[in-house]
Amino acid sequence: MKSKIDNAHNTNYELDGFSLHPHSINPAVVADALTGTQQVLEGRYDTGIAPWSTPDVGNDNQVQRVQQIHLANYAIKALLTSPVIGQLAAQITGASCVQIVLSQLYYKPPNSGQGGEVGFHRDNDYISAFTSGVINAWLPLVDMCAAMAPLTYVNQSHCWPKKSRYSGIAQHNLHQQRQLIKIDSLPHPWIETPSITNAGDIAFHHPKTLHGSAENTTDTGRYAVSMCLITDKVTFSTNETRAREMLKDNTTYPIIYEK
């Protein structure tokens, strides 16, 4: 399925710190990946390779996360290496090469409660090896509505000069956290945009963009995969040599676009 990117998408990413790209991936590919995520959550890995970690899998009162899920299931890997993802990331960033560094499943069980919240945070606070040349992708595997806890971005927060002391993924009281970050980030205005996306859509965000998600209050499980992507414009932290060597392993860290 072909996908087009226009100046509006580019401008949104540059100005707001995120961009949304509807109807980008073949629905059949997404449906197969959804089945794959359900298999992985049950501990079945058709590749014979286990994901790196599975925090809270099986706990229906928490967000269930699977790290490096593309290693564990062929259908998920097919989705995450879809050419359109790399093409869009390259067009947004002007890159000649795009590579997967990290993939994570975020599954929120039905009516997961406050433990299903993911605090507002910046991804670059958790990936310290890279100082630039990073873009993050978000792929819903089911159609989202506001009650299903879509990823919510804080507009233009990628341009804010300092990290808030109250940001963090482990915060499970979004209302309280939101109020604290608002005060801490003055005079910058707090404008939220929920990514009301459907299966087959792609959202991209800047690694410094604040984002989080509320609890899933529906009777349906919420499945989505995030990816950290690096480009040929990547720069590394001082004396960072381990990451450079690791990225030569294109099985674990597949290249999804190369000009």
Side-chain angles (χ1 to χ4, degrees), residues 159-201:
C159 297
W160 297 357
K162 68 172 184 174
K163 171 190 172 182
S164 170
R165 55 190 158 162
Y166 300 111
S167 68
I169 199 170
Q171 300 290 332
H172 293 303
N173 187 330
L174 247 62
H175 176 73
Q176 181 183 63
Q177 186 198 31
R178 180 186 287 110
Q179 302 312 312
L180 291 170
I181 298 178
K182 280 183 181 181
I183 295 170
D184 204 36
S185 302
L186 290 172
H188 303 289
W190 183 277
I191 303 170
E192 292 184 17
T193 300
S195 57
I196 307 296
T197 45
N198 294 321
D201 296 351

Side-chain angles (χ1 to χ4, degrees), residues 25-45:
I25 300 177
N26 188 316
V29 174
V30 181
D32 287 345
L34 176 59
T35 299
T37 63
Q38 294 162 343
Q39 293 170 351
V40 171
L41 288 170
E42 294 169 358
R44 294 186 287 144
Y45 314 133

Side-chain angles (χ1 to χ4, degrees), residues 15 27 84 104 129 144 155 161 178 182 188 214 217 230 240-241 254:
L15 294 183
V84 66
Q104 296 188 94
M144 297 275 182
N155 296 44
R178 180 186 287 110
K182 280 183 181 181
H188 303 289
T217 60
I230 61 167
E240 179 58 64
T241 57

Side-chain angles (χ1 to χ4, degrees), residues 24 31-32 38 93 114 126 144 169 190 196 216 222 249:
S24 294
D32 287 345
Q38 294 162 343
T93 61
Q114 199 171 66
Y126 298 92
M144 297 275 182
I169 199 170
W190 183 277
I196 307 296
N216 177 13
R222 186 270 236 177
D249 175 5

Side-chain angles (χ1 to χ4, degrees), residues 142-153:
V142 295
D143 292 350
M144 297 275 182
C145 63
M148 198 178 279
L151 202 64
T152 296
Y153 304 107

Side-chain angles (χ1 to χ4, degrees), residues 45-96:
Y45 314 133
D46 65 6
T47 63
I49 302 172
W52 283 6
S53 63
T54 56
D56 291 310
V57 167
N59 184 346
D60 287 344
N61 297 313
Q62 297 286 337
V63 180
Q64 299 179 24
R65 184 164 58 91
V66 178
Q67 192 175 58
Q68 295 300 57
I69 192 171
H70 68 278
L71 300 179
N73 183 271
Y74 289 117
I76 297 169
K77 184 172 182 179
L79 169 67
L80 300 189
T81 57
S82 298
V84 66
I85 300 173
Q87 291 165 5
L88 285 168
Q91 290 179 55
I92 290 169
T93 61
S96 298

Side-chain angles (χ1 to χ4, degrees), residues 197-219:
T197 45
N198 294 321
D201 296 351
I202 306 172
F204 290 97
H205 63 267
H206 191 283
K208 291 185 178 180
T209 299
L210 275 170
H211 59 287
S213 59
E215 62 187 85
N216 177 13
T217 60
T218 72
D219 295 328

